[in-house]
Structure formats: C-alpha cells, structure tokens
Amino acid sequence: MKMTDEELLAVLADPAGDFARMERIRTEIDAGFQLLSGRLGKAVAVFGSARPGPEDPRYTAARTMGARFADAGFAVITGGGPGLMEAANRGAAEAGGTSVGLGIELRREQVLNPYVDVSMTFRYFFARKLMFVRYASAFVVLPGGFGTLDELFEALTLVQTGKIHEFPVVLIGTEHWAGLMAWIRDRLRDQGFIAPDDIRLLRCTDDIDEAVGLIQQCHLRRSAL
C-alpha cells in the first residue's frame, strides 16, 4: 500500500483522483493552521538526527538548548521523533515551555516522543514544512542526515529569495558542519554560484547562549517590521 506522499508524487498516478488528493491536502493544512495559530507565540524550529540516544553528548546539548529556548520564552518545534528532536522537546518541556512535535507518516513507524504537549502527524512533507516556516522565528540545525539537510537548504532558499525575512538559520556543532561550510565557501561562493554575502545567511556555533541570543535579537527585529 502506497503512502500518501508516494501516491501523490507517482508519475503514473491516476489524475482522476486529483480532486480527492487536493481535498486531503487542504484538510491537512487547515488542521495544522487550526492547531498552531495563536497558540505558540514566538517559536524556534529545531532539526536533527533521530538516532543519538540519551547517552550521546549531542543529546545532552540539545536537551540543554531546548531548556534555554524555553527560558527565553520560545516554543520549541521539532519533527517530534526520537534522538535530537526528543532531546530538544524534553529540554523545553522540563523548563516549563511549550514543546511541539510535528510528525510525519513513514514506512518505518516512528511514534512521537513523550515530551511533546502540542502535536500533529502529517501525511504530506510539504504541508509539514509549511508549518515549520509559518510558526517559527528561526531554524536551529543540529547534526543529522538527509531530512535535516533538506530542512536546512529549504530555509536557506526561502531566506535567500526573500520569501521570509529576519529568519536566522543556525548550525550547532562547528566540527560536524565544518566540511559543509568549507564546501559552501569554496564551491558555491568562490565559484560564483551564490552571492558573496549569501554565506552570511548561515551562522555556525557551539555556544548555545550565542545561538539563543542571536535568535532573540532577530525575532525582535522581525517583530518590528
């Protein structure tokens, strides 16, 4: 049985079913808006791997970061899964903040972690991505795989093209991201594939307080627009 996203994207999908698909998409986006609209205040979306467990230092750091954002008044939105997503949700919940999990239907079943108090599971990746961008003031990107990279570059594209403004994208883990940052400088910026200033759209740090402070400042400027 095909997953909903797979059915939508199949080149041989029966066009006769497009009206029903469009209605499912509309219903899902509407449900996301109703769940989150006016409920979160300022929020930050945190992305990262589902694989590290509580014994991993990166889990500990993500948990601390979730608490710091909650202390600063931010809701923490993640993909709702285990690993670093769970850690960020856990830190936010333990600090008394709003902890949001936006899950996705996958072939390998992945349940929402137990530290979310606002949650929804999506069928469509693009509907879920819309919620991250619509309700967050910033993206924080922890070490992760293809899904994490997808969210990172989607955010960078939206900022670069002016679709969203005063929207910081912060990478946590200078050692982890060093190779990517070097490739962006050497292959994209220096060869003219991006503008010289575009690399400034990304901030990379190991300092959680620096990340929280940067996002707080950007949120204040965005609110003043």
Side-chain angles (χ1 to χ4, degrees):
M1 183 176 181
K2 287 186 177 180
M3 302 293 287
T4 311
D5 257 331
E6 184 182 2
E7 178 187 85
L8 175 68
L9 297 173
V11 68
L12 297 180
D14 180 8
D18 282 348
F19 178 81
R21 294 185 187 101
M22 289 299 296
E23 184 59 22
R24 287 197 298 269
I25 292 167
R26 188 203 65 78
T27 299
E28 181 157 286
I29 291 174
D30 182 64
F33 285 165
Q34 290 195 42
L35 175 69
L36 300 174
S37 180
R39 187 170 186 174
L40 303 184
K42 61 183 184 180
V44 60
V46 178
F47 301 98
S49 175
R51 302 188 180 211
E55 73 289 344
D56 193 304
R58 293 169 295 187
Y59 183 103
T60 302
R63 182 178 173 185
T64 299
M65 186 182 68
R68 297 283 175 78
F69 276 115
D71 289 341
F74 285 88
V76 172
I77 309 173
T78 79
L84 301 185
M85 294 175 282
E86 174 186 294
N89 284 133
R90 182 177 180 179
E94 291 171 340
T98 301
S99 177
V100 183
L102 303 180
I104 186 72
E105 290 182 358
L106 297 173
R107 285 190 179 280
R108 296 185 296 276
E109 184 176 358
Q110 179 174 287
V111 298
L112 292 169
N113 71 66
Y115 300 102
V116 299
D117 50 54
V118 178
S119 65
M120 179 173 170
T121 298
F122 288 80
R123 292 170 292 183
Y124 296 101
F125 269 103
F126 61 86
R128 178 180 180 241
K129 286 180 178 180
L130 173 60
M131 302 305 152
F132 285 125
V133 176
R134 173 66 180 82
Y135 293 103
S137 299
F139 279 5
V140 175
V141 188
L142 304 168
F146 288 153
T148 302
L149 291 172
D150 177 50
E151 301 293 356
L152 166 61
F153 283 105
E154 171 126 352
L156 286 176
T157 301
L158 291 172
V159 177
Q160 182 197 46
T161 55
K163 298 297 183 182
I164 48 178
H165 302 278
E166 289 292 347
F167 195 97
V169 181
V170 182
L171 305 179
I172 303 293
T174 54
E175 182 179 358
H176 178 84
W177 296 110
L180 177 63
M181 293 297 292
W183 182 80
I184 291 173
R185 285 193 302 270
D186 298 342
R187 299 294 179 178
L188 300 187
R189 184 192 65 185
D190 293 352
Q191 295 187 28
F193 293 109
I194 61 174
D197 285 345
D198 281 347
I199 199 167
R200 296 180 185 176
L201 301 177
L202 268 175
R203 293 288 292 271
C204 189
T205 183
D206 295 310
D207 189 329
I208 292 171
D209 290 331
E210 179 186 355
V212 174
L214 169 67
I215 289 169
Q216 184 77 284
Q217 291 170 15
C218 288
H219 172 76
L220 292 173
R221 289 197 297 268
R222 187 181 188 185
S223 299
L225 292 177

